[in-house]
Amino acid sequence: MIESGNMAKEKWKSDCVNIRMNGKTEQTKRENAEHRLSILSIVYNPTAHPTSYLDTLINMLKGNVGCGILAMGDAFKNGGLFLSPVLTFIIGIICVYNQHLLVKCSKSVKQKLKLQHNPEFAETVELSFQTGPQRFQCYSVFFRNSVNSFIVITQLGFCCVYILFVSKSIQQVLSWYNIQLDVHISILISMVPIMISSLIRSLKFIARLSAIANMFMLVGLAVILYYCTIDLPPLSSRSAIAHWTTIPLYFGTSIFSFEGISLVLPLEQEMKNPKQFSTAFGVLNVGMVVVSSLIVLTGFMGYWRFGDAVRGSLTLNLPEEFLLSKVVISSMMFGIICTYTLQFYVPVEILWPKVEKKFGPFKSPLLWDTGLRVVLVLITFIAADVIPHLSLFISMMGAVASTFLALIFPPLCHMAVTSANDGLFNWRLAMNCVTLMLGALGFVTGTYASVYEIFGAFQKVTVTAAVTNTTGNNYTTP
């Protein structure tokens, strides 16, 4: 193993020396070789405050409870009351399996290259391909950039969903006071607090806000589940299995709810005893069992209580006469705004070094950093304003970005690491192939269904506006 690591180091050093700058292609090759070599020089800095088993478990719950879980009522409508729980647990098992693969691959490349630091998601994928068989090595940089790109897309997609959640909640509360507000105006109103929160740079302060926010959200979720138990209709009044054309929408929303794979390696690396993370009763398995149970419970109760009237977020189904409605919605809005800040921190951390390398050095780095944050916030608001349909946006983001991170990259990474040692036929290879096929199927069908429904929603709005104008002009409408 040591010999293999030293061989890789010598190879990367020779790449840096031998590659000559003969055009853009050679420049790119040289930069990639220097990047791979720089990974070996990173020194491990242990965290100042390592987390216990319970602390890590709480952090995992925080990272997986958000807008996605509130949309599971709509997901169960698209999947069926009895089919959806089965599919949800299957997806949960596959997601946990892939998270274990990612942890295993990270440890494998660290030992193989004798790294002094714990590689993160993108590094793990890159090094898995770089140290694998020859046929995989040429794809290492491509997959590193792909992982970072999908992480940025996913995190900014989360931010778009949070914007829609806040704007829809503002509309709902104002409607109780007979104030009808256009969705585009409510999005502009929500931009003020979100823009201010996105300028916070201190991760320590963001973490404190996140802890408070998640406490509010968990209390709000408990109240929503309590309301869902009031005046329940017969189970026979709900569809046990939905029509097959809507199941891809269910898949996109459910995989969005399970999107916590980017947190796996940081949580494991910050533990006092990292071995407690991936054991049989470790943080990963126990945490995901709790998360899966909450997702199934919320989706089942939401669809059972509201049926086809269930909205993209269960908070939108709370009536004005319910005593705690305003308290729950206000607390959830506060929690989501604070969570936006945490999710927004990740793409800034990925994109800022690239901006600094491309346009730097800067005389005023703070000004450029602020400009980058403002631009990214405006991008999320424009995207949310273009597609102001909360449930469809969640489904599309789950199908497009979350599918790649949760179902595509981990098995590819594992196949690159183990292909040199494992035989052609083994159960892990079969499981990886099944996962890849499921991810590809979910990506294609989920994306198609989401885009189709989004276009359908816009057509309905256009037809409604045309009918309204025609009726107002005393014409006969078809």
Side-chain angles (χ1 to χ4, degrees):
M1 184 179 296
I2 295 175
E3 183 180 358
S4 175
N6 290 333
M7 289 175 62
K9 292 179 183 179
E10 293 302 323
K11 179 180 182 301
W12 296 351
K13 288 178 182 178
S14 64
D15 287 343
C16 292
V17 173
N18 295 332
I19 292 176
R20 298 178 180 178
M21 298 177 59
N22 296 325
K24 187 176 181 180
T25 302
E26 296 300 325
Q27 172 73 12
T28 303
K29 290 181 180 179
R30 187 180 68 83
E31 291 177 354
N32 290 336
E34 290 177 350
H35 167 76
R36 293 194 298 267
L37 188 60
S38 67
I39 294 175
L40 303 176
S41 62
I42 299 176
V43 179
Y44 172 69
N45 292 319
T47 179
H49 304 285
T51 56
S52 64
Y53 181 101
L54 183 59
D55 292 334
T56 310
L57 183 62
I58 292 173
N59 288 332
M60 174 163 281
L61 294 179
K62 283 192 225 175
N64 286 275
V65 177
C67 287
I69 197 171
L70 294 175
M72 284 307 295
D74 182 74
F76 273 50
K77 179 188 71 175
N78 293 321
L81 190 63
F82 295 114
L83 177 62
S84 296
V86 177
L87 294 178
T88 304
F89 276 118
I90 292 174
I91 291 174
I93 291 171
I94 294 175
C95 287
V96 173
Y97 171 77
N98 285 344
Q99 290 170 1
H100 278 286
L101 287 187
L102 187 62
V103 173
K104 182 178 179 180
C105 292
S106 177
K107 293 178 179 178
S108 176
V109 296
K110 180 181 179 181
Q111 293 175 356
K112 186 180 293 186
L113 296 174
K114 297 184 66 64
L115 300 178
Q116 299 182 35
H117 72 290
N118 297 305
E120 297 182 353
F121 196 166
E123 278 184 22
T124 297
V125 175
E126 178 191 11
L127 296 178
S128 297
F129 279 84
Q130 186 61 38
T131 58
Q134 186 70 34
R135 63 182 183 273
F136 289 113
Q137 293 179 7
C138 59
Y139 300 107
S140 60
V141 177
F142 169 77
F143 278 104
R144 179 195 79 212
N145 294 331
S146 298
V147 171
N148 281 330
S149 299
F150 277 107
I151 289 176
V152 170
I153 292 171
T154 302
Q155 296 301 121
L156 293 181
F158 286 159
C159 293
C160 294
V161 171
Y162 296 159
I163 292 168
L164 289 175
F165 177 89
V166 173
S167 64
K168 295 285 185 182
S169 300
I170 292 173
Q171 276 186 303
Q172 182 183 13
V173 173
L174 292 180
S175 68
W176 292 342
Y177 295 97
N178 297 321
I179 301 175
Q180 301 302 322
L181 197 64
D182 182 73
V183 63
H184 305 292
I185 302 300
S186 64
I187 288 176
L188 285 176
I189 294 174
S190 65
M191 185 167 67
V192 177
I194 289 177
M195 180 68 79
I196 294 173
S197 67
S198 67
L199 298 178
I200 299 175
R201 294 171 177 80
S202 172
L203 186 58
K204 184 177 181 180
F205 186 69
I206 292 174
R208 291 177 179 175
L209 276 180
S210 177
I212 298 172
N214 283 281
M215 185 170 60
F216 275 98
M217 292 180 66
L218 288 174
V219 172
L221 181 62
V223 175
I224 291 171
L225 289 175
Y226 164 74
Y227 179 76
C228 288
T229 62
I230 301 174
D231 298 329
L232 287 171
L235 285 172
S236 57
S237 63
R238 306 298 181 228
S239 299
I241 300 176
H243 196 269
W244 66 271
T245 56
T246 61
I247 291 179
L249 293 174
Y250 155 81
F251 175 84
T253 306
S254 61
I255 200 69
F256 182 93
S257 301
F258 278 109
E259 181 45 49
I261 193 168
S262 58
L263 296 173
V264 169
L265 293 179
L267 290 178
E268 188 249 356
Q269 293 162 8
E270 290 180 1
M271 289 188 69
K272 293 178 183 177
N273 186 5
K275 293 181 180 179
Q276 293 181 333
F277 187 79
S278 55
T279 57
F281 294 96
V283 172
L284 183 55
N285 289 344
V286 173
M288 291 308 296
V289 167
V290 175
V291 169
S292 301
S293 301
L294 281 175
I295 289 174
V296 171
L297 177 63
T298 306
F300 188 89
M301 296 302 299
Y303 179 50
W304 184 12
R305 173 65 176 82
F306 301 110
D308 291 339
V310 68
R311 306 284 296 278
S313 173
L314 289 179
T315 55
L316 300 177
N317 286 105
L318 295 178
E320 182 181 4
E321 58 270 14
F322 182 53
L323 183 62
L324 297 176
S325 289
K326 295 183 179 66
V327 176
V328 170
I329 293 175
S330 300
S331 62
M332 296 293 276
M333 285 173 59
F334 172 77
I336 290 298
I337 291 174
C338 295
T339 308
Y340 181 102
T341 308
L342 182 62
Q343 300 289 0
F344 188 76
Y345 182 85
V346 177
V348 172
E349 285 294 298
I350 293 176
L351 294 176
W352 172 248
K354 299 183 181 301
V355 172
E356 195 173 26
K357 181 178 180 181
K358 180 73 174 178
F359 302 102
F362 304 122
K363 293 182 179 179
S364 178
L366 182 62
L367 181 62
W368 278 81
D369 179 78
T370 303
L372 175 64
R373 290 171 181 270
V374 170
V375 169
L376 291 178
V377 171
L378 291 177
I379 289 174
T380 60
F381 272 92
I382 291 172
D385 192 55
V386 170
I387 311 176
H389 301 282
L390 182 60
S391 60
L392 297 179
F393 206 119
I394 291 175
S395 181
M396 186 178 71
M397 289 307 307
V400 175
S402 300
T403 299
F404 273 88
L405 292 178
L407 300 181
I408 301 294
F409 289 126
L412 286 177
C413 180
H414 186 255
M415 291 168 69
V417 168
T418 60
S419 60
N421 302 322
D422 292 349
L424 181 61
F425 299 102
N426 57 79
W427 73 271
R428 288 190 180 275
L429 179 61
M431 186 66 178
N432 289 338
C433 292
V434 170
T435 305
L436 287 173
M437 287 189 292
L438 175 64
L441 179 64
F443 167 73
V444 174
T445 59
T447 303
Y448 173 80
S450 300
V451 173
Y452 180 83
E453 291 293 328
I454 288 171
F455 275 109
F458 278 112
Q459 287 177 351
K460 288 179 182 178
V461 172
T462 304
V463 170
T464 302
V467 170
T468 303
N469 292 335
T470 306
T471 305
N473 293 327
N474 296 322
Y475 289 111
T476 303
T477 58

